[in-house]
Amino acid sequence: MVSTRKVHEPQRPPFEHWLDSLSLNDHTKQKLRAISQHPERLLVGQEMVEILHQLNMDDATLQAALVFPYCEEHQLNEEAIEQEFGPDILQLIIGVRRMDAIKALHGSRVSSSQAASEQHIDSIRRMLLAMVEDVRAVVIKMAERICTLQQVKKADEETRVMVARECASIYAPLANRLGIGQLKWELEDLAFRYLHPVTYKQIAKQLDGKRKERAQYIDDIVAHLQSLVDQENIRAEVYGRPKHIFSIWKKMQKKRLTFEQLYDIRAVRIIADRLQDCYAALGAVHSSYRHIPSEFDDYIATPKANGYQSIHTVIEGPGDKAVEIQIRTQQMHNDAELGVAAHWKYKEGSAGKASGYDERINWLRRILQWQEEVAESGDVVEELRSQVFDDRVYVFTPNGDVIDLPQGATPLDFAYYIHSNVGHRCIGAKVNGRIVPFTYQLQSGDQVVIHTGKQLNPSRDWMHPGLGYVHSSRARATIHSFFKKQDKEKNQLAGKELLERELNRAHVPLKDVVHACQKFNVAQPEDLHAAIGAGDVRVMSVVHFLQQRLEPAPAETELSPKLKTRKTAGATGKKDTVVVEGVGHLMSQLANCCKPVPGEPIMGYITQGRGVSVHKTGCEQLQHLSESHPERLIDVNWSHTLNVGFETGIDIFCSDRDGLLRDITTVLANHGVALLMVNSNTDKPRKTALVAISVEVPDLHTLSKLMNQLNQLKGVVDVKRKTS
């Protein structure tokens, strides 16, 4: 048995009859009658209305569907729509238009233009948010695509294939994910007709060839099953189930069967009143017919991902012919045919959007699952897909509004997105009803509630990127602006306390702060304290600068045109490492800010009283020094007879695991590298670790090989050379 509704010849209710059935005022009906005078647009609009009417969509959706074709032909603009039909209809039509961004998911590769790629990504995000705001726009768009598939029947082959591929790859999986079976099969059958015309005609011919015989067979089965359930006092209705060409072809491909070998060419559906009636009907069927165990599925006990519920079984009917039987309740049937449209009920006027955030969260999760399903079709560029969905999270306010945040966002990012004062007064947060720390990373579909106090009380720790309180630059900049606007005296006290604490830890005298004023463009230490307190200057930058000034000068060496460097343990008495171009009788030391290693390009800087400081040519500190005193720069080269070790630091970012330090020391031993120091910091909640080591290496080549080997260890995420 095939579908009683021809997908290419939709049955449309008389326009006047449909119009009279709508609960609209006379003025609105008059406007609808006026635009219906355009036959071509009216035809498309009525086809869309007929499709949506079968899905039990509300009057606003039907109005928007009827008006939409006129908008596409620019016969009605947004101002006219809002004036004549109201803001709700206008927002629905805007949502349908935004769905056009879905084309960016389909077909061609990502544009070589970065601007074009970013524009596509932004369009898809807007589309996603539009879908979440009002599901009706999605259903209208799918109805419009069905009408488009019907219209391109007489178009050229390229146009037919392009439209069909888009519908098969994007809209049919979306309808499936939302459980709207009625739209899913229409999209699949129409698209299949254009993409595989020969196969489509072969299956259609086979279905038509024995239509009468098959119909009589199904009628007999239906009559017998109906009598069975009636005898058992089971409240249920039995009827033949339509078969769709695409589903037949898909099953033939999946199971590698011929048309005649398929079990479900003959299909029956039993619709029961209650859940217990479903299992009672199953018992009655199995007691009267032999069933095929391998073809039994209970999707009531274990629903499909899109919420589909039904019992599927295959019996051996008269003549040993296989018959598939589906058993479900009327509610399950409505869900299977109408999907999400069956749950999202709307009223006239301002109640045009769903009120429950739980429904919207479930809806969003289905959309995010759908994009994975689309990606598997092979028609979506992975790079584009990952940028659209993987670097953003979509979370909800208590009222169900959607907030679009960067991946890694925290409750504080959410609070500052709502309003700066909400962020400044934030004292706690709940996610999905559970209290979470400020460092919790939000996930798509989370519902976030922010608890606020009466006073503005942000913490300076929130700005620290390593602590994980905020992720977005927007939130961090708002916090920074808050502290910058605070009273200068308050900033001075806070900055002074912070700086003194860090200087004491680093064993740097407090009186040396005056030497950092010029470096950080302030007149006196009090101004530096205020800048630190306001967040304009990082406290560790000041500490590192003062530490470098206190670096001890090396002991005097014999006067020679060759430079001496500080030796590491065991290097005393070995050959010179650095040679000055044409200048002699100078002390020297390797700069502690960049710690150059033989093989790296270097440059010398003549200091006052401490000889020549040797830096890497790309050293940031050297660049600052050269801007102030370019005349002090001097060329230096590595000696050709090196026989010393050079100390350098390495940071290893990795997952915390047993045996990590053992593996690191094994790599060092294999390269003949001495370990001078090791320090490990672990983050137990995140199961990560930072292992800082200091090693003695002879040259840059050995250091590079060592770092590459460390990077290959299990669980290691990154290996970086420490330059300060």
Side-chain angles (χ1 to χ4, degrees):
M1 182 176 182
V2 296
S3 170
T4 57
R5 177 177 171 224
K6 299 287 186 179
V7 296
H8 57 285
E9 295 178 1
Q11 301 171 352
R12 292 179 292 279
F15 178 73
E16 287 294 333
H17 176 71
W18 168 77
L19 192 59
D20 290 338
S21 69
L22 300 181
S23 55
L24 305 173
N25 58 49
D26 292 339
H27 179 71
T28 301
K29 289 184 179 181
Q30 185 177 356
K31 294 300 179 183
L32 289 174
R33 285 190 180 94
I35 67 171
S36 70
Q37 301 306 311
H38 302 276
E40 292 184 3
R41 295 297 96 201
L42 175 62
L43 179 64
V44 175
Q46 281 191 280
E47 288 178 353
M48 293 171 62
V49 166
E50 190 271 340
I51 294 170
L52 297 170
H53 184 71
Q54 292 190 10
L55 296 176
N56 298 328
M57 299 304 290
D58 67 333
D59 285 356
T61 305
L62 302 182
Q63 287 183 65
L66 188 65
V67 173
F68 181 73
Y70 296 89
C71 302
E72 294 299 279
E73 294 295 324
H74 305 290
Q75 294 177 4
L76 286 174
N77 56 32
E78 292 185 1
E79 292 78 8
I81 296 170
E82 185 171 17
Q83 181 179 355
E84 300 296 340
F85 300 99
D88 289 345
I89 304 300
L90 174 61
Q91 289 305 313
L92 266 176
I93 290 173
I94 291 174
V96 178
R97 283 179 169 173
R98 284 179 177 172
M99 289 289 294
D100 283 338
I102 210 167
K103 292 178 181 177
L105 283 172
H106 170 71
S108 60
R109 292 289 181 262
V110 175
S111 170
S112 57
S113 165
Q114 183 178 357
S117 264
E118 291 176 354
Q119 185 177 3
H120 277 169
I121 293 165
D122 187 55
S123 296
I124 297 170
R125 285 189 184 131
R126 289 199 304 270
M127 174 208 70
L128 180 62
L129 293 177
M131 293 165 74
V132 174
E133 286 174 5
D134 202 329
V135 67
R136 296 176 295 177
V138 186
V139 183
I140 294 172
K141 184 62 180 179
M142 287 193 283
E144 185 268 337
R145 287 290 87 189
I146 290 175
C147 293
T148 301
L149 282 168
Q150 294 165 353
Q151 287 179 314
V152 298
K153 178 180 179 182
K154 297 181 180 179
D156 59 90
E157 183 179 1
E158 182 179 356
T159 301
R160 293 198 305 269
V161 170
M162 181 182 66
V163 174
R165 185 176 290 120
E166 177 190 39
C167 291
S169 299
I170 302 295
Y171 290 101
L174 178 55
N176 178 59
R177 177 56 60 187
L178 303 182
I180 312 178
Q182 191 164 314
L183 296 185
K184 171 181 174 288
W185 75 256
E186 287 200 60
L187 288 164
E188 288 176 340
D189 272 17
L190 285 167
F192 183 66
R193 178 179 186 175
Y194 300 140
L195 295 175
H196 304 278
V198 175
T199 307
Y200 180 91
K201 290 178 182 178
Q202 288 175 347
I203 297 176
K205 185 177 180 180
Q206 288 175 299
L207 282 172
D208 290 337
K210 298 182 179 180
R211 182 186 299 273
K212 290 183 179 180
E213 178 185 339
R214 190 180 301 109
Q216 184 59 51
Y217 187 90
I218 291 297
D219 289 343
D220 294 341
I221 287 287
V222 167
H224 186 250
L225 290 175
Q226 186 69 61
S227 65
L228 279 178
V229 297
D230 291 343
Q231 289 172 11
E232 298 292 332
N233 295 320
I234 300 169
R235 291 181 291 178
E237 181 183 355
V238 186
Y239 58 88
R241 182 169 67 89
K243 291 306 300 177
H244 308 304
I245 294 177
F246 177 78
S247 64
I248 292 173
W249 174 79
K250 190 174 181 181
K251 189 160 290 187
M252 289 169 61
Q253 296 295 310
K254 180 180 179 181
K255 298 189 175 182
R256 297 183 179 180
L257 300 173
T258 65
F259 180 84
E260 293 298 335
Q261 290 175 316
L262 290 178
Y263 287 128
D264 58 351
I265 295 299
R266 292 163 291 273
V268 172
R269 185 171 286 149
I270 300 176
I271 304 299
D273 286 355
R274 302 171 302 171
L275 178 61
Q276 55 266 41
D277 290 332
C278 293
Y279 289 99
L282 177 66
V285 171
H286 282 184
S287 64
S288 299
Y289 296 94
R290 290 182 56 189
H291 72 285
I292 303 174
S294 61
E295 297 297 319
F296 177 80
D297 291 294
D298 186 355
Y299 294 118
I300 293 180
T302 309
K304 290 186 178 181
N306 61 2
Y308 175 85
Q309 288 184 293
S310 184
I311 297 173
H312 291 192
T313 187
V314 176
I315 63 171
E316 294 180 3
D320 294 331
K321 294 181 179 179
V323 180
E324 184 193 59
I325 299 177
Q326 294 181 356
I327 307 173
R328 61 179 71 150
T329 66
Q330 184 64 51
Q331 183 61 51
M332 293 173 189
H333 179 66
N334 292 340
D335 291 346
E337 293 300 303
L338 310 182
V340 70
H343 299 286
W344 288 51
K345 297 300 182 184
Y346 299 93
K347 297 179 181 179
E348 296 292 329
S350 61
K353 295 182 182 178
S355 58
Y357 71 85
D358 284 335
E359 288 180 336
R360 304 188 74 174
I361 288 174
N362 292 333
W363 160 251
L364 175 60
R365 285 175 177 158
R366 290 180 185 179
I367 293 296
L368 296 176
Q369 289 172 330
W370 155 74
Q371 60 86 15
E372 296 174 1
E373 186 175 312
V374 171
E376 292 172 1
S377 72
D379 291 321
V380 181
V381 180
E382 180 63 26
E383 180 182 348
L384 182 63
R385 183 192 65 80
S386 63
Q387 288 186 67
V388 173
F389 294 97
D390 293 347
D391 73 337
R392 310 298 294 178
V393 291
Y394 300 90
V395 296
F396 293 87
T397 68
N399 294 329
D401 295 326
V402 182
I403 303 297
D404 178 11
L405 296 171
Q407 185 77 30
T410 66
L412 282 173
D413 289 303
F414 176 90
Y416 278 104
Y417 184 94
I418 299 300
H419 196 279
S420 58
N421 281 338
V422 176
H424 292 334
R425 295 190 294 114
C426 180
I427 58 175
K430 281 186 177 181
V431 174
N432 300 328
R434 179 173 57 89
I435 296 176
V436 297
F438 285 156
T439 54
Y440 171 84
Q441 292 191 359
L442 299 174
Q443 306 296 318
S444 287
D446 283 345
Q447 189 238 7
V448 187
V449 177
I450 299 297
H451 297 289
T452 57
K454 294 182 179 180
Q455 303 297 325
L456 302 178
N457 193 33
S459 169
R460 285 183 170 84
D461 287 339
W462 292 358
M463 291 186 290
H464 197 302
L467 298 180
Y469 286 107
V470 296
H471 177 77
S472 66
S473 56
R474 171 178 176 172
R476 192 172 287 111
T478 305
I479 299 168
H480 176 268
S481 176
F482 172 85
F483 285 110
K484 190 173 183 179
K485 292 177 182 177
Q486 294 300 297
D487 182 74
K488 184 176 180 180
E489 182 179 349
K490 191 174 181 180
N491 287 335
Q492 284 179 348
L493 292 174
K496 183 178 181 181
E497 179 183 352
L498 188 60
L499 180 60
E500 288 180 352
R501 183 180 68 193
E502 296 300 332
L503 289 177
N504 285 331
R505 288 179 179 175
H507 305 293
V508 176
L510 300 179
K511 61 183 177 63
D512 285 4
V513 173
V514 68
H515 300 298
C517 293
Q518 183 178 358
K519 160 71 175 174
F520 295 98
N521 298 317
V522 294
Q524 52 190 358
E526 288 76 10
D527 295 331
L528 183 59
H529 297 155
I532 294 172
D536 293 331
V537 174
R538 292 190 177 184
V539 64
M540 293 311 298
S541 298
V542 180
V543 174
H544 290 158
F545 173 78
L546 296 175
Q547 280 180 318
Q548 184 180 336
R549 288 193 75 262
L550 293 175
E551 180 183 322
E556 288 284 345
T557 61
E558 62 173 298
L559 300 180
S560 168
K562 295 181 179 179
L563 288 173
K564 300 290 184 180
T565 67
R566 179 175 59 85
K567 308 284 195 302
T568 59
T572 307
K574 302 216 177 149
K575 296 288 184 180
D576 299 324
T577 59
V578 179
V579 179
V580 175
E581 296 292 335
V583 179
H585 306 290
L586 290 174
M587 297 183 298
S588 70
Q589 72 275 347
L590 298 180
N592 203 36
C593 56
C594 56
K595 294 183 178 179
V597 172
E600 292 181 312
I602 52 176
M603 178 67 69
Y605 179 82
I606 303 174
T607 65
Q608 293 182 346
R610 294 188 293 115
V612 176
S613 179
V614 180
H615 299 257
K616 291 194 299 184
T617 55
C619 175
E620 183 178 348
Q621 183 65 22
L622 178 64
Q623 292 176 0
H624 290 307
L625 294 172
S626 63
E627 291 173 2
S628 303
H629 302 284
E631 71 280 359
R632 294 175 180 266
L633 296 180
I634 185 170
D635 291 331
V636 292
N637 294 311
W638 296 106
S639 171
H640 294 296
T641 56
L642 295 178
N643 194 19
V644 295
F646 292 82
E647 180 182 352
T648 189
I650 299 175
D651 285 339
I652 305 170
F653 303 88
C654 53
S655 301
D656 190 18
R657 64 175 177 84
D658 294 336
L660 179 62
L661 290 178
R662 178 198 64 212
D663 292 346
I664 292 174
T665 54
T666 300
V667 172
L668 299 180
N670 291 340
H671 285 79
V673 173
L675 177 64
L676 306 179
M677 182 276 293
V678 62
N679 183 33
S680 176
N681 292 318
T682 60
D683 186 341
K684 291 185 178 179
R686 298 184 180 180
K687 296 182 180 180
T688 59
L690 168 61
V691 180
I693 62 174
S694 181
V695 295
E696 180 183 283
V697 295
D699 51 42
L700 182 63
H701 178 66
T702 302
L703 177 61
S704 297
K705 289 176 61 178
L706 175 64
M707 292 177 65
N708 286 336
Q709 193 70 32
L710 291 171
N711 215 0
Q712 296 176 18
L713 291 177
K714 179 182 177 182
V716 172
V717 177
D718 195 13
V719 177
K720 292 184 178 180
R721 181 180 169 193
K722 207 168 187 176
T723 56
S724 61

mmCIF file of all heavy atoms in Angstrom, residues 547-548 551-552 566 589-596 613-615 647 722-724:
data_model
loop_
_atom_site.group_PDB
_atom_site.id
_atom_site.type_symbol
_atom_site.label_atom_id
_atom_site.label_comp_id
_atom_site.label_asym_id
_atom_site.label_seq_id
_atom_site.Cartn_x
_atom_site.Cartn_y
_atom_site.Cartn_z
ATOM 1 N N GLN A 547 63.598 41.789 39.415
ATOM 2 C CA GLN A 547 64.465 40.622 39.584
ATOM 3 C C GLN A 547 65.635 40.664 38.617
ATOM 4 O O GLN A 547 66.774 40.343 38.975
ATOM 5 C CB GLN A 547 63.656 39.342 39.374
ATOM 6 C CG GLN A 547 62.823 38.913 40.554
ATOM 7 C CD GLN A 547 62.059 37.641 40.262
ATOM 8 O OE1 GLN A 547 61.506 37.478 39.173
ATOM 9 N NE2 GLN A 547 62.013 36.734 41.237
ATOM 10 N N GLN A 548 65.388 41.087 37.400
ATOM 11 C CA GLN A 548 66.442 41.137 36.397
ATOM 12 C C GLN A 548 67.515 42.164 36.774
ATOM 13 O O GLN A 548 68.697 41.948 36.552
ATOM 14 C CB GLN A 548 65.841 41.486 35.031
ATOM 15 C CG GLN A 548 66.872 41.470 33.908
ATOM 16 C CD GLN A 548 66.245 41.822 32.583
ATOM 17 O OE1 GLN A 548 65.058 41.645 32.411
ATOM 18 N NE2 GLN A 548 67.041 42.326 31.674
ATOM 19 N N GLU A 551 70.121 40.776 39.100
ATOM 20 C CA GLU A 551 70.917 39.631 38.659
ATOM 21 C C GLU A 551 72.386 39.888 38.961
ATOM 22 O O GLU A 551 72.953 40.901 38.548
ATOM 23 C CB GLU A 551 70.734 39.447 37.152
ATOM 24 C CG GLU A 551 71.514 38.270 36.593
ATOM 25 C CD GLU A 551 71.343 38.189 35.076
ATOM 26 O OE1 GLU A 551 70.228 38.463 34.607
ATOM 27 O OE2 GLU A 551 72.327 37.898 34.404
ATOM 28 N N PRO A 552 73.056 39.021 39.717
ATOM 29 C CA PRO A 552 74.444 39.280 40.128
ATOM 30 C C PRO A 552 75.397 39.307 38.940
ATOM 31 O O PRO A 552 75.261 38.535 37.996
ATOM 32 C CB PRO A 552 74.761 38.100 41.056
ATOM 33 C CG PRO A 552 73.806 37.029 40.634
ATOM 34 C CD PRO A 552 72.572 37.725 40.191
ATOM 35 N N ARG A 566 78.800 33.011 32.245
ATOM 36 C CA ARG A 566 78.594 32.229 33.455
ATOM 37 C C ARG A 566 78.479 30.769 33.090
ATOM 38 O O ARG A 566 77.719 30.384 32.228
ATOM 39 C CB ARG A 566 77.306 32.696 34.150
ATOM 40 C CG ARG A 566 76.991 31.930 35.411
ATOM 41 C CD ARG A 566 75.780 32.535 36.102
ATOM 42 N NE ARG A 566 74.626 32.507 35.224
ATOM 43 C CZ ARG A 566 73.826 31.453 35.101
ATOM 44 N NH1 ARG A 566 74.053 30.345 35.778
ATOM 45 N NH2 ARG A 566 72.776 31.492 34.294
ATOM 46 N N GLN A 589 77.977 38.419 30.465
ATOM 47 C CA GLN A 589 77.119 37.385 31.030
ATOM 48 C C GLN A 589 75.941 37.167 30.090
ATOM 49 O O GLN A 589 75.560 38.076 29.348
ATOM 50 C CB GLN A 589 76.604 37.746 32.428
ATOM 51 C CG GLN A 589 75.570 38.834 32.473
ATOM 52 C CD GLN A 589 76.189 40.226 32.499
ATOM 53 O OE1 GLN A 589 77.384 40.347 32.720
ATOM 54 N NE2 GLN A 589 75.388 41.242 32.256
ATOM 55 N N LEU A 590 75.397 35.935 30.113
ATOM 56 C CA LEU A 590 74.192 35.643 29.334
ATOM 57 C C LEU A 590 73.006 36.269 30.048
ATOM 58 O O LEU A 590 72.836 36.114 31.249
ATOM 59 C CB LEU A 590 73.991 34.136 29.188
ATOM 60 C CG LEU A 590 75.088 33.368 28.459
ATOM 61 C CD1 LEU A 590 74.742 31.896 28.397
ATOM 62 C CD2 LEU A 590 75.303 33.923 27.060
ATOM 63 N N ALA A 591 72.171 36.983 29.293
ATOM 64 C CA ALA A 591 71.006 37.644 29.876
ATOM 65 C C ALA A 591 70.050 36.626 30.462
ATOM 66 O O ALA A 591 69.743 35.611 29.834
ATOM 67 C CB ALA A 591 70.303 38.498 28.821
ATOM 68 N N ASN A 592 69.568 36.906 31.666
ATOM 69 C CA ASN A 592 68.653 35.979 32.336
ATOM 70 C C ASN A 592 67.226 36.054 31.788
ATOM 71 O O ASN A 592 66.421 35.174 32.015
ATOM 72 C CB ASN A 592 68.644 36.272 33.837
ATOM 73 C CG ASN A 592 68.195 35.074 34.647
ATOM 74 O OD1 ASN A 592 68.512 33.942 34.291
ATOM 75 N ND2 ASN A 592 67.472 35.322 35.723
ATOM 76 N N CYS A 593 66.918 37.143 31.035
ATOM 77 C CA CYS A 593 65.548 37.297 30.533
ATOM 78 C C CYS A 593 65.240 36.339 29.395
ATOM 79 O O CYS A 593 64.097 35.928 29.211
ATOM 80 C CB CYS A 593 65.318 38.743 30.077
ATOM 81 S SG CYS A 593 66.498 39.295 28.830
ATOM 82 N N CYS A 594 66.243 35.974 28.591
ATOM 83 C CA CYS A 594 65.980 35.096 27.450
ATOM 84 C C CYS A 594 66.864 33.857 27.411
ATOM 85 O O CYS A 594 66.592 32.921 26.672
ATOM 86 C CB CYS A 594 66.130 35.872 26.137
ATOM 87 S SG CYS A 594 67.751 36.666 25.939
ATOM 88 N N LYS A 595 67.972 33.856 28.207
ATOM 89 C CA LYS A 595 68.847 32.696 28.329
ATOM 90 C C LYS A 595 69.184 32.074 26.975
ATOM 91 O O LYS A 595 68.726 30.966 26.647
ATOM 92 C CB LYS A 595 68.231 31.645 29.251
ATOM 93 C CG LYS A 595 68.111 32.093 30.690
ATOM 94 C CD LYS A 595 67.565 30.995 31.576
ATOM 95 C CE LYS A 595 67.488 31.445 33.024
ATOM 96 N NZ LYS A 595 66.937 30.428 33.921
ATOM 97 N N PRO A 596 69.966 32.754 26.153
ATOM 98 C CA PRO A 596 70.295 32.197 24.834
ATOM 99 C C PRO A 596 71.112 30.920 24.947
ATOM 100 O O PRO A 596 71.847 30.709 25.917
ATOM 101 C CB PRO A 596 71.100 33.322 24.172
ATOM 102 C CG PRO A 596 71.651 34.125 25.296
ATOM 103 C CD PRO A 596 70.634 34.061 26.389
ATOM 104 N N SER A 613 75.904 42.339 28.254
ATOM 105 C CA SER A 613 74.823 41.377 28.474
ATOM 106 C C SER A 613 74.438 40.799 27.117
ATOM 107 O O SER A 613 74.134 41.545 26.182
ATOM 108 C CB SER A 613 73.623 42.073 29.124
ATOM 109 O OG SER A 613 72.574 41.162 29.316
ATOM 110 N N VAL A 614 74.457 39.471 26.995
ATOM 111 C CA VAL A 614 74.218 38.793 25.722
ATOM 112 C C VAL A 614 72.765 38.314 25.675
ATOM 113 O O VAL A 614 72.325 37.556 26.538
ATOM 114 C CB VAL A 614 75.187 37.614 25.527
ATOM 115 C CG1 VAL A 614 74.923 36.925 24.193
ATOM 116 C CG2 VAL A 614 76.635 38.098 25.603
ATOM 117 N N HIS A 615 72.023 38.760 24.631
ATOM 118 C CA HIS A 615 70.603 38.431 24.474
ATOM 119 C C HIS A 615 70.368 37.699 23.155
ATOM 120 O O HIS A 615 71.163 37.819 22.216
ATOM 121 C CB HIS A 615 69.736 39.703 24.453
ATOM 122 C CG HIS A 615 69.807 40.528 25.685
ATOM 123 N ND1 HIS A 615 68.814 40.533 26.637
ATOM 124 C CD2 HIS A 615 70.765 41.400 26.131
ATOM 125 C CE1 HIS A 615 69.142 41.376 27.599
ATOM 126 N NE2 HIS A 615 70.314 41.919 27.317
ATOM 127 N N GLU A 647 72.316 26.491 31.057
ATOM 128 C CA GLU A 647 71.089 26.226 31.800
ATOM 129 C C GLU A 647 69.896 26.859 31.083
ATOM 130 O O GLU A 647 69.955 28.017 30.650
ATOM 131 C CB GLU A 647 71.202 26.807 33.210
ATOM 132 C CG GLU A 647 69.951 26.562 34.048
ATOM 133 C CD GLU A 647 70.057 27.182 35.438
ATOM 134 O OE1 GLU A 647 71.159 27.659 35.798
ATOM 135 O OE2 GLU A 647 69.037 27.187 36.135
ATOM 136 N N LYS A 722 61.193 28.018 28.681
ATOM 137 C CA LYS A 722 61.000 29.133 29.595
ATOM 138 C C LYS A 722 62.051 30.191 29.296
ATOM 139 O O LYS A 722 63.246 29.891 29.240
ATOM 140 C CB LYS A 722 61.129 28.646 31.044
ATOM 141 C CG LYS A 722 60.367 29.456 32.056
ATOM 142 C CD LYS A 722 60.337 28.720 33.377
ATOM 143 C CE LYS A 722 59.428 29.424 34.366
ATOM 144 N NZ LYS A 722 59.316 28.657 35.624
ATOM 145 N N THR A 723 61.586 31.419 29.094
ATOM 146 C CA THR A 723 62.532 32.482 28.711
ATOM 147 C C THR A 723 62.730 33.500 29.807
ATOM 148 O O THR A 723 63.399 34.511 29.616
ATOM 149 C CB THR A 723 62.028 33.205 27.459
ATOM 150 O OG1 THR A 723 60.720 33.701 27.705
ATOM 151 C CG2 THR A 723 61.998 32.255 26.277
ATOM 152 N N SER A 724 62.097 33.339 30.944
ATOM 153 C CA SER A 724 62.306 34.307 32.022
ATOM 154 C C SER A 724 62.150 33.623 33.373
ATOM 155 O O SER A 724 61.649 32.524 33.466
ATOM 156 C CB SER A 724 61.307 35.462 31.914
ATOM 157 O OG SER A 724 59.992 34.996 32.029
#
